[in-house]
Amino acid sequence: MGRYGEQLWAPNSAAPLRGRRMGVYRPYCPDPLAGSPSSLHDDLIARATAVEAGIRSLTGTVMVSLDRLAGFLLRSEAVASSRIAGIGVPPQQVALAEFASGAGTDSVVEGFSVNARRVARNIAALRHAVTDLAEPGAITVDGIVNLQRTLLPGHRHTGTRSVQTWLGGSEWNPLDAAFIPAPPSEVVSLMTDLAAYASGDAHPPLIQAGLVHAQFETIQPFDDGNGRVARMLIHAVLARRGLVTPAVLPVSLAFVSRSDRYVTALAAYCHDGPPGGRASHAALNQWLTFFLDSMVVAIEEARTFADEIAELRRSWDTRLAACREQTVVVRNRPREPSTADRLITMLPGSPVLTAASAARILDVSVQAAWAAAEELVGAGILRRRQIGRGATGYLSREVSDLLTLAERRLAAVKRA
């Protein structure tokens, strides 16, 4: 699994007196994945195969196409992954920031925080992970670094780190740190190995995704954004292997609801000992069992989201029909879906829109898109809101609320 080394820490002259300590610290360097892939017990492989079958069955059992849910699931995953990183933002603010970023109008659209903008960048990076990075060719270190650059634009030190980092303890030295990743001299070779393993098929997709995630978290190759990029790599591997694409599974939501066990299982992965031994197998089993259990939770949450959005769509159709019946002129329902009906279909993926953005997506005139949005306002499906200087937005609060309800539901299960 890996080995702990010993390094001498020399005092930092820029540190305050209390931080100027000398001593030995023990960075952890994991074993390579591609060069000597871990041998796994048959029962673990069988469990992974069963969970994979559960993922594939989603496309035939959910009430709403996963393709139509792709935008919603990407946003849900990015919000939860950011929350693990300590960035908590109301989902509706995230939807506003995502709209602003996608429309290229950040200077116009208002009403969201700096943290919401960070989560929107997480969405953009996650989308790159399941498209560009997951293309049939090899996953590369440069491709992984590009995820960090998308996540942290303008960051001073993107790319693999050239200094020793650590988690916990003092900001001035690693002597009391909770975990110290590999020395910087080892990072490039470890990342090259990880990319090679992620590009192969030595293990079933879920095993591969779980090992890539844990290995990346152990290497900690960047000075910021490691956890979020590590969770993106789960989806990059699964997309590359053909599981649930372009949609993603809300695995970070499962991690959030089981955060203590998430940390414990990742820590167990950093076992000091020879690969293939009993302790090594136990550590791998603990992490991968947790990971597969979390994927089961993610599958159920994806199914629940699909059912909730299907129910929401039925409610919207009922409200729209009732609104139409109350108009002075009774209109026959068109044989082809009206612009308002088509607009309803796009709301789960685009809960914030303007007449101009709806017109582009639906390929209709701005006037037709505006009339459709106003019809949905009249039916109580959309809310009209000023989102910037001279910009009128239309928001679906009910879509944004689904993620909040999911977090509360899983929190209740955690407390039980």
Side-chain angles (χ1 to χ4, degrees), residues 30 45 58 63 84 86 147 153 159 177 183 192 223 233 237 268 300 312-313 335 405:
I45 298 291
L58 276 175
M63 299 180 69
I84 294 173
L147 296 182
T192 301
D223 69 352
L233 289 178
V237 169
E300 290 307 311
L312 197 53
R313 175 61 194 266
R335 292 183 179 179
L405 293 172

Side-chain angles (χ1 to χ4, degrees), residues 28 31 40 45 62 66 85 145 162 168 172 174 178 247 261 273 314 318 363 378 402:
Y28 181 81
D31 290 326
L40 303 170
I45 298 291
V62 298
L66 286 181
V145 169
S162 58
W172 297 106
R261 281 177 283 175
R314 287 190 289 269
T318 299
D363 193 23
L402 288 181

Side-chain angles (χ1 to χ4, degrees), residues 206-225:
L206 288 177
I207 296 292
Q208 183 184 26
L211 290 178
V212 166
H213 176 69
Q215 186 84 343
F216 188 94
E217 283 277 37
T218 303
I219 298 168
Q220 294 279 303
F222 305 144
D223 69 352
D224 195 10

Side-chain angles (χ1 to χ4, degrees), residues 25 160-165 181-189:
Y25 65 98
T160 54
R161 58 183 168 85
S162 58
V163 298
Q164 181 66 64
T165 57
S185 59
E186 302 283 346
V187 170
V188 171
S189 62

